[in-house]
Amino acid sequence: MSRNNIYTPSQVVWELTLQCNLKCIHCGSSAGNARPNELSPTEAVKLCKDLAEINSRQVCFMGGEPFLRKEWYRLGREVRDLGMELLVISNGFIVNEDIISKLVKLDPYGISVSLDGATPETHDHIRGVEGSFKKVMEFISLSRKADLPTAVITTVNKLNFKELPMIKKLLLGKHIAWQIQTASPEGRFPKKLLLSKEEFYSLGLFIASMQTKYSSKELPVIGAHCCGYYSRYIPHVGLSSNWRGCQAGISILSVKSHGDVIGCLATPDKYIEGNIRDKSIIEIWNNPKSFPYNRRFQTINLGDNCRDCKYGETCKGGCMGMSIALTGIPHNDPYCYHKIEQKFS
């Protein structure tokens, strides 16, 4: 059945649990306690098999904090045995040799950890727990010592924007990839800490300058899907050579800890396509009516910020999560290099 669908989930983002040991101010899902009805081990194993059936290439474990789910290793083993690549995104607070040794056995495609400040004061404040900076640096050290493919994710807001050059110094030459993204006003994140458009544009210039100054061996750095788009001066800073619009429901698929299926975890519940307890993820993904906002996108769907843009058909109005958080509708992202440059000129 999956072979007939023109869409293939290159990456599945799986929220293993909503339980978390930190209290990050920018957490879009307001993680803390586990949901009372999170998937059972049996349901989770079936989900792994169904993801393989729809030809998923990568499965990314996140949370909450994925290492707080006691079956994380069993599920990671299932993912790998089914021929899919495994990624894990952690806050790095749980540091022990057992977790590292299990990760080594899983041979993951990547291990990402959050680093949101160059100093304990900034990182701990953003992460909401004292000592979290020390823990994340220990985690990075253990991960690199075990020769795991390690990456750092920095979520930028007004509190840590000026510390990016110092974070760079912590990572340079250590074979650590760096993904930079912007915080958006959802969940616990207060809008007053959102980057201004001028700061957002400066962030793009910073990422581009790092890509020019350093080789991928010295410091591989990328901007996330929220960084862009179609600038006259800033090259595309993401993994691909150009921005092709939001990929939720096209090549990206997300699953919440209690089985809800959604294109992107950064979008609200309105965009949930169903629950795997009612229909398998195979049925949901292959349903031609699923993910209509992207699969059946037309330029008429563009919001006021993007409607007259010559890039609208390919850009599709930028990041869905940022667009909805800032304007209440999709395909209308005001944080756009092209749009900002028009106002500057």
Side-chain angles (χ1 to χ4, degrees), residues 172-311:
L172 185 61
K174 296 182 179 178
H175 303 284
I176 299 172
W178 191 15
Q179 176 178 306
I180 300 175
Q181 59 194 34
T182 57
S184 64
E186 53 190 332
R188 283 197 289 261
F189 186 66
K191 193 171 182 179
K192 66 182 181 180
L193 295 180
L194 177 71
L195 295 180
S196 68
K197 290 182 180 179
E198 290 80 8
E199 290 168 331
F200 173 76
Y201 193 83
S202 296
L203 177 62
L205 291 171
F206 173 81
I207 297 171
S209 70
M210 292 299 98
Q211 291 177 339
T212 300
K213 185 174 183 179
Y214 301 108
S215 69
S216 58
K217 185 176 181 179
E218 292 174 297
L219 183 65
V221 56
I222 63 166
H225 54 273
C226 52
C227 295
Y229 315 88
Y230 294 97
S231 167
R232 279 183 287 175
Y233 312 108
I234 303 174
H236 185 63
V237 295
L239 277 176
S240 59
S241 58
N242 54 54
W243 171 256
R244 297 175 292 116
C246 173
Q247 292 299 296
I250 304 293
S251 63
I252 303 294
L253 174 62
S254 302
V255 186
K256 298 191 178 187
S257 61
H258 58 338
D260 277 353
V261 177
I262 196 167
C264 172
L265 290 175
T267 54
D269 288 352
K270 174 183 176 180
Y271 294 91
I272 291 171
E273 301 292 339
N275 188 287
I276 64 170
R277 287 175 170 143
D278 302 319
K279 291 182 180 180
S280 75
I281 204 162
I282 301 172
E283 294 176 90
I284 294 171
W285 181 260
N286 287 331
N287 185 342
K289 295 182 180 180
S290 293
F291 313 102
Y293 50 89
N294 276 341
R295 291 186 179 180
R296 297 201 293 276
F297 169 81
Q298 300 178 55
T299 53
I300 195 173
N301 302 131
L302 293 169
D304 291 342
N305 288 317
C306 307
R307 187 161 293 133
D308 298 324
C309 180
K310 63 181 178 180
Y311 299 112

Side-chain angles (χ1 to χ4, degrees), residues 111-212:
I111 304 298
S112 296
V113 67
S114 300
L115 179 62
D116 290 317
T119 64
E121 292 76 17
T122 302
H123 180 87
D124 291 1
H125 176 68
I126 290 174
R127 290 270 147 184
V129 173
E130 187 176 349
S132 56
F133 179 83
K134 181 175 183 289
K135 290 286 189 179
V136 73
M137 296 307 293
E138 290 176 4
F139 188 93
I140 291 171
S141 178
L142 286 171
S143 182
R144 288 305 306 131
K145 184 179 179 181
D147 201 29
L148 288 165
T150 308
V152 157
I153 298 174
T154 301
T155 303
V156 185
N157 59 63
K158 285 185 179 295
L159 297 177
N160 60 6
F161 176 65
K162 293 182 179 179
E163 293 193 10
L164 291 173
M166 293 186 287
I167 296 176
K168 181 259 295 184
K169 290 182 180 179
L170 294 175
L171 305 178
L172 185 61
K174 296 182 179 178
H175 303 284
I176 299 172
W178 191 15
Q179 176 178 306
I180 300 175
Q181 59 194 34
T182 57
S184 64
E186 53 190 332
R188 283 197 289 261
F189 186 66
K191 193 171 182 179
K192 66 182 181 180
L193 295 180
L194 177 71
L195 295 180
S196 68
K197 290 182 180 179
E198 290 80 8
E199 290 168 331
F200 173 76
Y201 193 83
S202 296
L203 177 62
L205 291 171
F206 173 81
I207 297 171
S209 70
M210 292 299 98
Q211 291 177 339
T212 300

Side-chain angles (χ1 to χ4, degrees), residues 1-62:
M1 178 166 53
S2 60
R3 304 299 193 272
N4 297 324
N5 196 337
I6 63 172
Y7 303 107
T8 300
S10 297
Q11 187 176 93
V12 176
V13 181
W14 183 356
E15 177 195 83
L16 283 192
T17 179
L18 198 61
Q19 184 180 2
C20 193
N21 43 14
L22 299 186
K23 303 172 184 177
C24 306
I25 62 173
H26 59 255
C27 183
S29 54
S30 301
N33 296 321
R35 290 188 175 95
N37 58 340
E38 295 189 334
L39 297 177
S40 70
T42 301
E43 290 171 324
V45 169
K46 181 182 184 300
L47 174 59
C48 291
K49 294 176 179 177
D50 287 350
L51 290 174
E53 177 64 23
I54 55 174
N55 304 318
S56 303
R57 183 169 64 87
Q58 294 180 342
V59 178
C60 177
F61 288 174
M62 64 174 296

